[in-house]
Amino acid sequence: MTPLGNPPLAPANCTADSITAIETRFRRRWLMASILMLCMVPFIGIAAQQTMHSMLTLPSRWLPDSLPERQALERFINEFESGNSVLLSWPGCSVDDPRLAEVAAAITALRSDESHAEEAAYFDETVNGYTALQEFMEPPLSLPRDEALSRLRGSLVGQDGDFSCLVVVLTEKGLYERDVSISVILREAERVTGIDEAEFLLAGPAVEGAFLDAEATFDANRLSIPSTIVSALLCWWCLRSWRYTAIVLCTALFGQGLVLASMHWLGVRMNALLIVLPTLVLVLTVSAGVHLVNYYYDAVRRFGVPGAADRAFQAGRRPCILAVVTTAMGLLSLCVSDIEPIVQFGLFAAGGVSVAIALLLYVLPGALVKWPAVITPAMTVAEDGAPLPRPRRFDRILDAYAAGIQRYALPLCLLFLIGTLVAGFGLQNIRSSIAFDSLFPPESRISRNYEVLERDLGPLVPVEVILHFDDRNELPFGDRIDLVRRVEQAIRRVPHIAGTLSGATFSPNLTQDAPDEQHAMAVAARLQLPIPCDLPEASLIPHALSTTESHRAALAFSQRSTALTTVSLHHSTFRQGAKFADARVVEALSRPPRTSLAALQAFAQGRLQSSASEPVTYAVDESPASFPTYQVPPVELLKSRALAVAEAEIRQQLIRRNYFYETAGRQSWRISARLPAMQELDYHQSLTDLRQVVDPVLAEVETGQRPTISAEYTGVMPVVSKSQRILLHDLYSSFLTAFGLVALAMIFVLGKIRAGLIAMLPNVFPAAVVFGAMGWWDLPVGIGTMMTASVALGIAVDDTLHFLTWFRIETTRGHDRAEAVRLCFGHCARAMIQTTVICGMGMVVFALSGFVPTSRFAWLMLTLLTATLVGDLVFLPALLNSPAGKWFQSRTFQKA
């Protein structure tokens, strides 16, 4: 096992010729690297710009394809609809407002307009409360208004029975270009209604995603530049050299651009969760540069400018490389997550930081040789011209501070250990959340829209229950509608659920309203089937065929004096219907279609008698030989045929509405419900409640040992529920993975198992205290918060390694542990504070983001980095001054 190296700052064989040769090599490296980076800048810039333009945030697609929840969602998308809809309404929108139907018609009309063919491809279907209410009140449902409103309440109609909305379902193309598709919806709505675009109320998964993309784009355009400026100014404040600041910052910006470009080259789209990734790479690279320049300043103060770059490179190379390795380990531990953007964040951040700091180690020494430091007033010069450090005010403060740490080392160690344990107990109370309020700030427009819509309309988070009937199930079609209706009624009893819609919502009750004799005769007339003439006297058979599609009408009637007569109308030609028992067939030929249709409708409404003088001109053929002979079916058979026709029509209607799907061996019925977005709900418990009410209803109709009916739960809510549980699991698994990897690295570089494990205590302290406090205070862990624990652990080890590097150097020189700790403060405390300030302040700019996970990531990173600095400047020195510090001394000193 190789212990952490103890590179001397003044090599014994440091001659003038060797220094010249080394510095020449450094200059050559710097020049070659600079030329190469400049040549790559155009290609990297173009690719990075492409990445930023590929912004697409799809939380519902973040789960891996292998998970059942993701598979169920994909199946739902393929068989029913994309699930990405836009809900549109406006203040005072009423279910009786025909503008709802007009907006829907305007969007649908885009399909027939060649100039808007591309826009029409964005939309799948439109549903609105006005049209739905009219359809429910008309045949075949013919529901009373109150019953029709009750079926639509909570989905398309508000709880007051008046407020309504329009829902537009997007295609996959509309989803991936949702900013354009939403703008088209708003354009058409504004044109039809005359309402200003800013007054419309928008909701739905597509709207949420568009808002996230807009916020992420805002962060990239408006916050990344201020963050870079803050980092640059702090870097200059730390280094007091614009040249060194420019070199460090240019290298960091190159690494930042390389990360974005590699995303484009590898086909990874930018999303809201990755927006802080480039900035994280930048601040970590700048922090490494500050550490390296501080090594250089220390060498200049101690031994002068000649050879200082090499001394700094030799002293800082190993701890910087080890710091990069441990930081990369912390970032790579995020790859154990099942959420795709978190994995991408870990991979690209680890790669970007590693490449950027490697470039810094390659470029910076040459820049230090090219522009050597000037001896400052803080230095004194010995008789031989070599500068000697002169105590500074900050150094005197650090000396007093180190003396206090030494005096109270053991009590401080006990205090930190007890605090870590007490806070750690709060971890058992920690919970995760990616609910609406964990993504959007309450003052945002989308939050205000959701508040209004959930108050006036109903819940907005969709959950889909799909009932699958396999081919072994023998339930008739009508009984299946009844089962769907019963399940829907059971779902309504689940707390917080409202706004249910299903295939049964749009279907008549076939078991109660089975086709009677008149309905059967009407269907027979429609299909031009032979009809028996022994009908009830003066029976009038209604016709249900839509005239909007085929302009076809059929009417059958009988009287005492005449046999049953059928009249049929098809387009512009009246055609013969069928042959009856007495071979009398009536064919209307003499009137135009519109006049004849009007006459037929007048007759059906009782306003025209069959004996009227000129209702229709008839041509009657009394010759039976003119027609083939038909076998007249019984009425029961006609009823069965009518029922089959009704079922077929219901099937087509439900398929068109995306509430029914049929394939070989399976029939699927969709029940859609909604849960509140603005309430603090346990979606996992809601999903459990759903199963508890649905399963008993299905069990009642199952007769065999093998179930033939199953329920599948999908949509946004189950995906959110699964994501929340994954987040909590990922928090622990990624942190434990990071801890294990970093601990192994610490054991390796320190050369001792005990030393490596003890050195991890100050690095575990920040995460244990911060996340433990979140558990005690019942603060949820969000998708952005979850990543900070592992990232902070990897960053925390950086300062630990630098401190331990100087501790080993000073103990090698013969100092005892107390003196070595005191000298370590002089060597690296300033740089540790500076890098913490740079990282924290560079990231905290993103606290202004409108995307809550980004804002919380920034605040929590600042908090964790501050706690990390406390651990490295208080807890770690106390450990080194305690009896446990003997495990960190160099072997050379221990033997001496």
Side-chain angles (χ1 to χ4, degrees):
M1 198 173 287
T2 306
L4 183 68
N6 304 314
L9 283 176
N13 57 349
C14 190
T15 63
D17 292 340
S18 63
I19 289 175
T20 301
I22 292 172
E23 291 183 347
T24 301
R25 186 170 68 249
F26 283 160
R27 286 195 186 95
R28 189 181 300 115
R29 287 180 181 176
W30 170 75
L31 183 60
M32 293 174 58
S34 299
I35 294 173
L36 181 62
M37 291 165 65
L38 286 173
C39 292
M40 293 180 65
V41 163
F43 303 100
I44 289 177
I46 294 173
Q49 197 70 15
Q50 292 293 325
T51 298
M52 298 308 299
H53 288 162
S54 69
M55 186 74 66
L56 184 67
T57 307
L58 292 175
S60 61
R61 311 290 176 89
W62 285 351
L63 294 180
D65 296 336
S66 59
L67 289 182
E69 289 80 3
R70 175 66 184 274
Q71 293 173 356
L73 181 62
E74 292 297 330
R75 189 159 46 249
F76 173 80
I77 292 172
N78 293 331
E79 296 179 357
F80 293 99
E81 62 181 38
S82 68
N84 287 278
S85 57
V86 177
L87 188 150
L88 173 74
S89 187
W90 55 86
C93 179
S94 171
V95 70
D96 297 315
D97 191 340
R99 291 181 295 178
L100 284 170
E102 293 170 4
V103 175
I107 295 172
T108 304
L110 294 174
R111 300 176 183 175
S112 58
D113 189 345
E114 294 184 359
S115 62
H116 295 93
E118 185 175 353
E119 293 179 350
Y122 295 143
F123 309 113
D124 183 7
E125 66 164 337
T126 60
V127 183
N128 67 89
Y130 178 85
T131 303
L133 179 62
Q134 301 304 315
E135 290 179 355
F136 280 15
M137 295 171 61
E138 295 174 355
L141 293 178
S142 301
L143 299 176
R145 180 181 173 89
D146 290 344
E147 184 177 348
L149 288 174
S150 68
R151 290 196 181 190
L152 298 173
R153 187 168 281 116
S155 56
L156 294 174
V157 178
Q159 298 300 324
D160 61 356
D162 183 58
F163 189 82
S164 189
C165 66
L166 165 76
V167 177
V168 183
V169 180
L170 304 182
T171 61
E172 284 291 297
K173 178 179 175 64
L175 171 63
Y176 280 88
E177 299 180 32
R178 57 197 172 199
D179 55 337
V180 180
S181 57
I182 292 174
S183 67
V184 171
I185 294 172
L186 290 174
R187 183 196 69 200
E188 294 300 315
E190 185 176 15
R191 181 180 62 82
V192 171
T193 64
I195 298 174
D196 187 78
E197 181 180 312
E199 296 184 29
F200 286 114
L201 303 171
L202 294 174
V207 177
E208 295 173 13
F211 180 85
L212 296 181
D213 289 345
E215 288 299 324
T217 303
F218 173 84
D219 294 346
N221 296 335
R222 304 291 180 86
L223 298 182
S224 295
I225 294 176
S227 175
T228 302
I229 293 173
V230 169
S231 300
L233 291 176
L234 289 173
C235 183
W236 173 84
W237 174 74
C238 297
L239 303 181
R240 301 293 176 173
S241 169
W242 283 115
R243 288 176 176 174
Y244 297 163
T245 299
I247 295 297
V248 171
L249 190 64
C250 287
T251 306
L253 287 172
F254 183 84
Q256 185 184 62
L258 192 60
V259 168
L260 292 173
S262 63
M263 291 174 64
H264 173 70
W265 294 330
L266 295 175
V268 176
R269 301 187 69 152
M270 176 59 73
N271 62 65
L273 203 61
L274 300 179
I275 204 67
V276 296
L277 169 61
T279 300
L280 182 66
V281 172
L282 183 137
V283 297
L284 291 178
T285 306
V286 170
S287 298
V290 170
H291 270 296
L292 282 171
V293 174
N294 271 282
Y295 277 103
Y296 173 73
Y297 284 160
D298 190 85
V300 169
R301 283 195 297 267
R302 189 172 296 273
F303 302 105
V305 172
D310 182 46
R311 295 185 181 99
F313 180 73
Q314 296 299 327
R317 177 180 56 184
R318 184 180 290 266
C320 281
I321 291 175
L322 293 174
V324 171
V325 171
T326 55
T327 301
M329 286 178 176
L331 292 166
L332 288 174
S333 68
L334 297 175
C335 296
V336 303
S337 175
D338 284 326
I339 298 179
E340 186 179 39
I342 294 179
V343 176
Q344 294 171 345
F345 189 99
L347 286 173
F348 284 101
V353 169
S354 300
V355 171
I357 296 180
L359 282 172
L360 194 65
L361 287 169
Y362 196 81
V363 170
L364 187 57
L368 297 176
V369 172
K370 177 70 174 177
W371 298 292
V374 179
I375 297 178
T376 65
M379 303 177 185
T380 57
V381 182
E383 293 180 357
D384 58 357
L388 295 175
R390 188 173 69 189
R392 295 167 292 179
R393 180 182 301 176
F394 185 72
D395 293 329
R396 292 193 293 270
I397 294 174
L398 289 178
D399 288 344
Y401 177 77
I405 294 290
Q406 180 187 1
R407 186 178 302 111
Y408 301 105
L410 195 56
L412 285 172
C413 289
L414 293 175
L415 179 64
F416 273 88
L417 289 173
I418 293 172
T420 303
L421 291 174
V422 171
F425 277 111
L427 293 174
Q428 61 185 343
N429 303 322
I430 206 165
R431 60 185 179 88
S432 60
S433 174
I434 55 173
F436 186 90
D437 61 347
S438 69
L439 298 176
F440 307 100
E443 68 277 4
S444 63
R445 179 184 176 184
I446 189 172
S447 295
R448 296 194 302 270
N449 285 354
Y450 267 69
E451 287 179 1
V452 173
L453 289 170
E454 290 208 330
R455 181 194 65 205
D456 297 341
L457 183 65
L460 295 174
V461 178
V463 54
E464 308 288 345
V465 181
I466 312 299
L467 299 185
H468 297 295
F469 298 81
D470 66 26
D471 54 1
R472 293 177 293 110
N473 186 273
E474 298 179 354
L475 275 181
F477 187 84
D479 291 340
R480 295 186 180 189
I481 293 178
D482 287 346
L483 178 59
V484 172
R485 185 174 288 110
R486 289 167 55 196
V487 172
E488 182 182 1
Q489 292 171 350
I491 290 174
R492 289 176 182 172
R493 296 195 299 268
V494 176
H496 306 293
I497 279 189
T500 60
L501 289 175
S502 70
T505 306
F506 303 97
S507 304
N509 192 331
L510 292 181
T511 57
Q512 295 180 5
D513 304 327
D516 56 12
E517 192 169 290
Q518 290 187 353
H519 189 188
M521 298 310 109
V523 173
R526 284 172 51 195
L527 300 178
Q528 298 184 355
L529 296 174
I531 303 176
C533 61
D534 55 344
L535 294 177
E537 184 176 338
S539 62
L540 185 64
I541 301 172
H543 171 62
L545 188 64
S546 171
T547 58
T548 59
E549 295 179 358
S550 66
H551 296 86
R552 182 176 181 178
L555 179 66
F557 59 94
S558 67
Q559 292 180 331
R560 289 176 181 267
S561 59
T562 61
L564 178 68
T565 305
T566 298
V567 180
S568 59
L569 169 66
H570 179 59
H571 294 294
S572 61
T573 305
F574 290 96
R575 302 190 62 186
Q576 185 171 298
K579 180 184 178 186
F580 302 102
D582 63 352
R584 173 172 288 189
V585 177
V586 178
E587 183 176 11
L589 298 170
S590 62
R591 297 293 183 96
R594 182 174 301 175
T595 306
S596 300
L597 180 58
L600 289 172
Q601 291 173 339
F603 183 89
Q605 296 168 5
R607 295 184 286 105
L608 186 65
Q609 301 298 323
S610 59
S611 59
S613 57
E614 292 184 1
V616 179
T617 300
Y618 296 107
V620 181
D621 187 347
E622 299 286 351
S623 173
S626 301
F627 303 99
T629 302
Y630 290 89
Q631 181 178 2
V632 178
V635 172
E636 292 301 322
L637 181 59
L638 289 177
K639 288 183 179 181
S640 175
R641 180 66 64 89
L643 182 62
V645 170
E647 291 177 357
E649 290 179 347
I650 292 172
R651 274 187 171 90
Q652 293 303 315
Q653 182 189 57
L654 296 183
I655 290 173
R656 180 175 58 85
R657 294 182 183 274
N658 294 327
Y659 279 91
F660 180 83
Y661 180 81
E662 193 167 20
T663 186
R666 175 169 59 86
Q667 191 180 90
S668 301
W669 294 73
R670 172 189 173 192
I671 305 172
S672 181
R674 292 179 180 175
L675 282 164
M678 304 303 290
Q679 296 183 23
E680 189 79 15
L681 293 181
D682 184 348
Y683 286 155
H684 180 65
Q685 183 60 47
S686 297
L687 203 56
T688 302
D689 294 341
L690 269 176
R691 291 190 173 96
Q692 289 176 349
V693 300
V694 171
D695 292 346
V697 177
L698 300 183
E700 291 177 4
V701 298
E702 290 283 10
T703 57
Q705 294 182 349
R706 293 178 57 194
T708 60
I709 309 173
S710 61
E712 186 175 54
Y713 305 87
T714 185
V716 173
M717 191 272 278
V719 171
V720 170
S721 174
K722 182 64 175 181
S723 299
Q724 289 181 168
R725 285 177 287 150
I726 287 177
L727 272 182
L728 194 57
H729 173 267
D730 291 348
L731 174 64
Y732 292 115
S733 60
S734 65
F735 186 79
L736 290 176
T737 301
F739 177 85
L741 293 174
V742 173
L744 288 175
M746 293 293 286
I747 291 171
F748 177 79
V749 299
L750 293 174
K752 300 172 184 178
I753 295 177
R754 292 182 182 179
L757 295 177
I758 294 171
M760 290 302 296
L761 291 176
N763 300 300
V764 173
F765 160 76
V769 169
V770 173
F771 283 92
M774 292 178 67
W776 284 116
W777 294 336
D778 195 33
L779 298 176
V781 173
I783 194 167
T785 309
M786 171 262 161
M787 298 188 296
T788 58
S790 300
V791 174
L793 177 62
I795 296 174
V797 178
D798 296 359
D799 288 342
T800 302
L801 286 170
H802 287 290
F803 200 96
L804 290 177
T805 296
W806 283 110
F807 181 79
R808 299 292 292 272
I809 291 174
E810 296 302 337
T811 55
T812 302
R813 291 173 176 166
H815 299 293
D816 60 17
R817 284 187 284 123
E819 181 64 14
V821 168
R822 187 188 69 81
L823 293 172
C824 285
F825 279 111
H827 288 304
C828 60
R830 179 186 293 271
M832 291 165 66
I833 295 172
Q834 292 171 346
T835 54
T836 299
V837 171
I838 290 173
C839 288
M841 298 308 295
M843 293 302 304
V844 82
V845 173
F846 284 87
L848 300 175
S849 171
F851 183 41
V852 173
T854 299
S855 177
R856 291 180 179 174
F857 179 89
W859 280 118
L860 205 61
M861 281 298 297
L862 178 63
T863 304
L864 285 167
L865 289 172
T866 303
T868 295
L869 185 65
V870 173
D872 284 330
L873 292 183
V874 181
F875 195 8
L876 179 60
L879 284 172
L880 294 176
N881 277 302
S882 72
K886 63 182 181 181
W887 300 103
F888 293 90
Q889 291 179 235
S890 66
R891 291 193 177 103
T892 304
F893 181 75
Q894 287 178 337
K895 290 179 181 179

